[in-house]
């Protein structure tokens, strides 16, 4: 794999991001309306919104290989910002080449530079490929997540 470039998403990334985002939510068995997809993109590009995105491409190419959506939020145990990595998608052809790791490393670097308290995420227990990476770059905690759907 050639050198990788990680950067903030740009408006011109919309077609590639949209293709990857669609693959991601279908992979998770979800559906989204065009209006919801538009709203997510609007939020990502809004510098005043806590939802952000990084993208990754090969240094010699503008084609995107992956994205990471993250959400910045306050924390009750600290005055420092916390970062939740909500979505990490790597194109199937680029998996296993360090792309996901590079996106996580970029978030860690950004967090250190900006004084965040923590970067965290969760995944399905049977997501073996992702967990193989996550076990190498982060500490598995004992927290259990509960959800209440609010239709």
């Amino acid at each position: 794999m050639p050198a990788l470039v990680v950067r903030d998403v740009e408006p011109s990334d919309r077609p590639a991001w949209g293709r990857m985002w669609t693959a991601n939510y279908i992979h998770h068995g979800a559906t989204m309306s065009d209006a919801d997809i538009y709203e997510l993109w609007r939020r990502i590009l809004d510098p005043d919104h806590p939802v952000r995105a990084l993208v990754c491409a090969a240094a010699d190419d503008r084609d995107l290989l992956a994205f990471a959506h993250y959400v910045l939020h306050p924390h009750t145990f600290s005055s420092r910002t916390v970062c939740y990595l909500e979505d990490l998608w790597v194109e199937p052809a680029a998996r296993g080449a360090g792309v996901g790791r590079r996106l996580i490393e970029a978030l860690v670097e950004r967090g250190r530079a900006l004084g965040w308290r923590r970067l965290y995420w969760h995944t399905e227990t049977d997501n073996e490929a992702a967990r193989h990476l996550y076990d190498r770059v982060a500490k598995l905690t004992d927290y259990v997540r509960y959800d209440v759907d609010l239709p």
Side-chain angles (χ1 to χ4, degrees):
M1 174 66 61
L4 300 172
V5 173
V6 174
R7 60 174 173 75
D8 291 305
V9 72
E10 300 170 353
S12 63
D13 294 325
R14 176 62 175 91
W17 171 87
R19 179 181 40 74
M20 291 190 295
W21 176 241
T22 299
N24 181 62
Y25 72 72
I26 288 172
H27 169 79
H28 289 288
T31 58
M32 290 186 72
S33 70
D34 289 344
D36 285 339
I37 295 168
Y38 173 83
E39 176 59 14
L40 173 58
W41 184 247
R42 186 199 66 74
R43 290 175 182 178
I44 288 169
L45 293 179
D46 180 349
D48 295 325
H49 199 280
V51 175
R52 313 277 170 83
L54 293 178
V55 293
C56 183
D60 60 353
D61 192 358
R62 290 275 312 160
D63 289 341
L64 299 184
L65 301 171
F67 68 78
H69 293 162
Y70 61 102
V71 182
L72 301 176
H73 64 87
H75 190 269
T76 57
F77 285 78
S78 172
S79 61
R80 295 166 56 198
T81 297
V82 173
C83 179
Y84 171 54
L85 173 58
E86 187 158 6
D87 303 299
L88 179 64
W89 177 262
V90 177
E91 289 285 81
R95 292 178 186 166
V99 176
R101 175 188 283 268
R102 185 63 195 104
L103 280 164
I104 292 170
E105 289 170 348
L107 279 173
V108 169
E109 292 166 12
R110 182 168 288 189
R112 285 187 176 133
L114 296 175
W116 299 345
R117 181 170 192 245
R118 175 186 314 131
L119 167 64
Y120 73 101
W121 62 89
H122 62 266
T123 192
E124 296 86 356
T125 56
D126 64 351
N127 189 350
E128 293 178 19
R131 291 187 69 186
H132 182 70
L133 167 62
Y134 300 159
D135 288 343
R136 291 180 298 175
V137 300
K139 173 182 69 174
L140 178 64
T141 69
D142 292 330
Y143 281 89
V144 177
R145 187 182 105 177
Y146 294 87
D147 291 346
V148 175
D149 290 331
L150 304 172

